[in-house]
């Protein structure tokens, strides 16, 4: 059974950093790419970033490019999202999932299964 648990969110000021973690169970990270999504209040969920299970190639949405970095630790079966220079518009619930990371438009959830997410609030 595929299961993900997101953690690491919080309330921070603009310009701060956070590192989100996605602990995966049910499969090892060499099976599927993992992606991060976010849903801001009143908006649809959007793909933020993903990382390949084969060659560590990555995708970033234009809105986070240069500020966010995705990485993986196979020993811990965990994928991270390092978020730097946070902005108020980054405020959202963040989710991870097994994805198709090959599309130019961003990650696509493979199993339409979501964890509980972790909340990020960037306030002035």
């Amino acid at each position: 059974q595929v299961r993900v648990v997101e953690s690491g969110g919080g309330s921070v000021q603009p310009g701060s950093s956070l590192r989100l973690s996605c602990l995966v169970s049910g499969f090892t990270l060499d099976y599927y790419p993992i992606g991060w999504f976010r849903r801001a209040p009143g908006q649809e969920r959007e793909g933020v970033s993903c990382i390949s299970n084969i060659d560590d190639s990555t995708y970033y949405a234009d809105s986070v490019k240069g500020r966010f970095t995705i990485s993986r630790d196979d020993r811990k079966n965990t994928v991270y999202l390092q978020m730097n220079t946070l902005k108020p518009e980054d405020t959202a619930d963040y989710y991870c999932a097994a994805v198709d990371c090959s599309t130019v438009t961003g990650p696509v959830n493979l199993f339409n299964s979501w964890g509980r997410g972790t909340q990020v609030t960037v306030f002035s």
Side-chain angles (χ1 to χ4, degrees):
Q1 181 180 359
V2 174
R3 184 166 180 255
V4 297
V5 178
E6 304 94 342
S7 63
S11 296
V12 297
Q13 293 184 329
S16 299
S17 298
L18 284 173
R19 188 177 79 157
L20 305 184
S21 298
C22 173
L23 176 61
V24 176
S25 60
F27 64 92
T28 54
L29 294 183
D30 57 344
Y31 266 69
Y32 301 110
I34 299 296
W36 283 96
F37 301 78
R38 67 185 181 186
R39 182 165 59 192
Q43 298 187 22
E44 293 189 356
R45 197 171 349 228
E46 64 167 339
V48 173
S49 180
C50 58
I51 184 165
S52 168
N53 58 318
I54 297 174
D55 59 6
D56 284 351
S57 59
T58 57
Y59 163 89
Y60 296 97
D62 287 343
S63 57
V64 306
K65 205 171 289 184
R67 300 187 297 121
F68 291 12
T69 303
I70 191 170
S71 62
R72 46 188 278 183
D73 186 335
D74 289 357
R75 295 172 301 168
K76 296 181 179 180
N77 226 41
T78 299
V79 173
Y80 302 100
L81 186 68
Q82 177 67 43
M83 308 188 296
N84 298 329
T85 320
L86 282 162
K87 303 176 181 180
E89 50 263 45
D90 295 318
T91 295
D93 292 325
Y94 284 73
Y95 304 85
C96 62
V99 301
D100 177 355
C101 193
S102 64
T103 70
V104 296
T105 54
V108 177
N109 191 325
L110 282 176
F111 302 113
N112 199 29
S113 173
W114 299 101
R116 293 186 175 182
T118 186
Q119 187 175 60
V120 173
T121 303
V122 185
F123 60 96
S124 297

